[in-house]
Amino acid sequence: MIDIFNNFYKGKKVLVTGHTGFKGSWLSIWLHEQGAEVVGLSLDSYSEKDNFVLSGIGRRIKADIRADIRDGQRMKEIFIKYQPEIVFHLAAQPLVRLSYEQPVDTYEVNVMGTIHIMEAIRVTKSVKVGVMITTDKCYDNKEQIQGYKETDPFGGYDPYSSSKGACEIAIQSWRRSFFNPIDYGKKHAVSIASVRAGNVIGGGDWAKDRIIPDCIRALEAGKVINIRSPKAVRPWEHVLEPLSGYMMLAQKMWNYPTEYCEGWNFGPENDSVSTVWEVVTELVKNFEFGVLKDSSDLNAVHEANLLTLDINKVKTRLGWKPRLNMQQCIALVADWYKRYKTEDVYNLCVEEIDKFIGR
Ligand SMILES: NC(=O)c1ccc[n+]([C@@H]2O[C@H](COP(=O)([O-])OP(=O)(O)OC[C@H]3O[C@@H](n4cnc5c(N)ncnc54)[C@H](O)[C@@H]3O)[C@@H](O)[C@H]2O)c1
C-alpha cells in the first residue's frame, strides 16, 4: 500500500474506540496496513454484514476489546494496560432519528463517554495525541447557505446533534483545563483536537435510516427505494476522506503538539454538496438498476435541511483536501457493495484505500 504518512504509523500504538463500527473498521484497516499496533475498543458489531466482521480486521489487530465507554473505570484500566500513544475516539450513538427515541442513552454515550475517554487519557502517560471525532451537526444550524466555520457556535436541534455540540464544549473545556497548550511540557504532554466530518458514506455501512444503507437494502431486496428527504442538502464524502484527514492531523499533532490542538472541519468541496435525490440517482446509475420514489414525510422528526462545512482551514493550515468528487465517491461506494458478497472484503478495502490514495 502507498504510504502517504511517510512511515509515521509503523510501530505506533494506536487505540481506536468504535473500531467495530463503519468508520472505525476502515480506520483500523488503514492503520493496520501502515504497521500500527492497533487496539480497538467498542461494543459488538451490529450485524454479520458489517465491514468489521466481513473484513476480519478484529483478528489482525493487536487487541480487539469489547467494553462500554460509559464505564470510566474500565476505560482507565484498558488505557493503562495497553499504553496507547495515539487515540482516535469514534465510539458514539451516531444516528439522529435514534436519538429521538433514546435521548438519554445518546447523551450518556456521546457526552459522558467522551469525557471518560479524556479522563483515561489524563491518567495514561503514554498518550501524546487524542483525536476526538464529533460531527458537522455540532454547529448551531441556521439553515444557512455558507458552510460552518470552526469558529461558529456549537448547538444542535435534536439530541444527537446537541450531544455532539456538548462533546465539543467538553473537549474545549478539557483542553483548557487539563491539556492546555500553554502548559505543554510542564503540566502535561498531550495534544487534543476535535474533528468534524460531513455525511460520510462508504462500503460496509448498514446503519438504520442512513440513505446509502437504505438504498442498498432496497436494491438487494428488489424493492422501490423510498426517499424520505429528497431535497435535503448534505456534504457527502467518502469515508476515506475524513479518515485521511484524521490520520494526517494526528501526525501533525505528534510533531507539533501545541500548534494543531483545535477543532477541524474535514468536509467535501462545494461541488460535492448535493441533495439526497442527486446522490441516490448517482448510486442507481452505478448499479444500473433500481427505482426511486419521492416519499417525503411531512410528519417526520426534525432533521436539518441544509448543512455544509467550510474547509478553508484544513486546506490552508493542514494541506489536506478532498480527493474525490461526488461521482467518484459514489462509484467507490457502489464498488464495495457490488463486490462484498463474492470477494475477500479485507483485500477489497485495501484495494479501495490504494485506489483512493492514488487519486
Ligand atoms: N457516519 C457519518 O456520516 C458520520 C458523520 C460525522 C460524524 N460521525 C461520527 O463518527 C463516529 C463513527 O460513526 P460511524 O458512522 O462509524 O458509527 P457506527 O454506528 O458505525 O459505529 C459506532 C461505534 O461506536 C461503538 N459504540 C457505540 N456505543 C458504545 C459504547 N457505549 N461503548 C463503546 N463503544 C460504543 C460501536 O460499537 C461502534 O463500534 C461517531 O462518533 C459519529 O458520530 C459519523
Side-chain angles (χ1 to χ4, degrees):
M1 173 179 289
I2 307 163
D3 182 2
I4 53 172
F5 307 104
N6 298 322
N7 232 7
F8 170 75
Y9 283 99
K10 193 166 176 37
K12 291 272 183 324
K13 295 181 178 173
V14 184
L15 189 145
V16 178
T17 75
H19 73 303
T20 59
F22 163 50
K23 286 168 74 178
S25 61
W26 279 96
L27 179 60
S28 302
I29 292 170
W30 200 342
L31 286 166
H32 178 70
E33 283 292 309
Q34 296 296 313
E37 279 185 21
V38 180
V39 171
L41 179 174
S42 307
L43 300 181
D44 277 334
S45 44
Y46 305 111
S47 83
E48 289 306 304
K49 282 163 80 179
D50 285 2
N51 194 42
F52 175 80
V53 178
L54 295 179
S55 69
I57 181 62
R59 292 189 299 276
R60 295 181 188 241
I61 57 178
K62 182 180 166 70
D64 172 18
I65 301 166
R66 294 293 165 275
D68 194 318
I69 57 169
R70 286 169 290 190
D71 183 345
Q73 187 52 36
R74 181 91 202 280
M75 291 306 107
K76 287 181 182 165
E77 287 164 11
I78 293 168
F79 273 61
I80 288 167
K81 178 170 178 194
Y82 289 97
Q83 295 284 303
E85 298 167 304
I86 298 172
V87 176
F88 291 101
H89 172 48
L90 292 94
Q93 190 302 92
L95 304 174
V96 172
R97 283 160 76 96
L98 186 62
S99 80
Y100 280 105
E101 289 165 30
Q102 301 176 356
V104 177
D105 284 355
T106 300
Y107 258 69
E108 281 176 355
V109 174
N110 294 359
V111 184
M112 286 315 298
T114 297
I115 290 175
H116 288 314
I117 295 300
M118 290 191 290
E119 284 295 280
I121 290 176
R122 227 147 71 78
V123 298
T124 313
K125 295 288 169 255
S126 56
V127 180
K128 290 184 168 40
V129 169
V131 179
M132 318 301 281
I133 282 71
T134 67
T135 174
D136 54 349
K137 299 184 178 66
C138 68
Y139 295 113
D140 189 22
N141 192 313
K142 300 190 173 70
E143 302 281 343
Q144 64 189 34
I145 292 173
Q146 67 270 34
Y148 293 92
K149 288 194 168 75
E150 285 84 348
T151 45
D152 280 330
F154 302 125
Y157 184 113
D158 57 88
Y160 168 67
S161 305
S162 61
S163 76
K164 288 285 186 168
C167 281
E168 287 283 356
I169 292 171
I171 295 162
Q172 204 170 59
S173 162
W174 259 247
R175 181 164 50 231
R176 287 173 175 155
S177 309
F178 308 113
F179 310 121
N180 199 312
I182 292 168
D183 299 323
Y184 187 86
K186 294 181 273 231
K187 295 186 180 158
H188 71 91
V190 182
S191 185
I192 290 275
S194 63
V195 290
R196 303 136 199 175
N199 260 53
V200 182
I201 55 181
D205 186 9
W206 297 102
K208 199 166 163 264
D209 292 332
R210 274 190 187 152
I211 188 66
I212 299 293
D214 282 351
C215 284
I216 303 293
R217 278 186 283 266
L219 284 171
E220 288 189 349
K223 290 187 180 156
V224 170
I225 306 172
N226 291 303
I227 310 296
R228 216 173 49 230
S229 314
K231 296 196 184 95
V233 174
R234 292 283 182 275
W236 309 95
E237 54 186 333
H238 192 273
V239 62
L240 297 173
E241 302 274 23
L243 297 186
S244 68
Y246 305 164
M247 289 169 76
M248 187 188 257
L249 176 64
Q251 183 175 11
K252 289 274 191 196
M253 291 163 73
W254 181 278
N255 292 327
Y256 309 97
T258 60
E259 286 174 40
Y260 293 92
C261 48
E262 308 165 11
W264 301 88
N265 290 343
F266 288 99
E269 298 283 8
N270 283 342
D271 59 7
S272 289
V273 175
S274 327
T275 64
V276 170
W277 190 265
E278 285 163 341
V279 161
V280 176
T281 303
E282 189 66 27
L283 187 75
V284 166
K285 204 169 97 192
N286 272 273
F287 270 87
E288 295 174 0
F289 66 93
V291 180
L292 305 180
K293 184 172 168 220
D294 180 341
S295 305
S296 301
D297 178 359
L298 300 175
N299 296 318
V301 291
H302 176 275
E303 290 188 70
N305 242 324
L306 186 56
L307 178 52
T308 62
L309 285 173
D310 184 309
I311 56 168
N312 279 317
K313 182 177 163 182
V314 276
K315 281 183 172 172
T316 52
R317 289 206 28 220
L318 213 57
W320 177 90
K321 64 175 175 36
R323 288 167 188 261
L324 310 178
N325 62 27
M326 195 266 267
Q327 288 72 20
Q328 292 165 329
C329 166
I330 299 295
L332 204 55
V333 173
D335 180 59
W336 192 99
Y337 285 106
K338 282 183 196 166
R339 294 167 61 189
Y340 79 93
K341 282 185 183 163
T342 51
E343 294 188 30
D344 179 300
V345 170
Y346 187 87
N347 291 341
L348 172 59
C349 292
V350 171
E351 185 193 309
E352 290 205 351
I353 295 171
D354 263 335
K355 214 183 268 177
F356 171 78
I357 292 168
R359 293 268 181 208

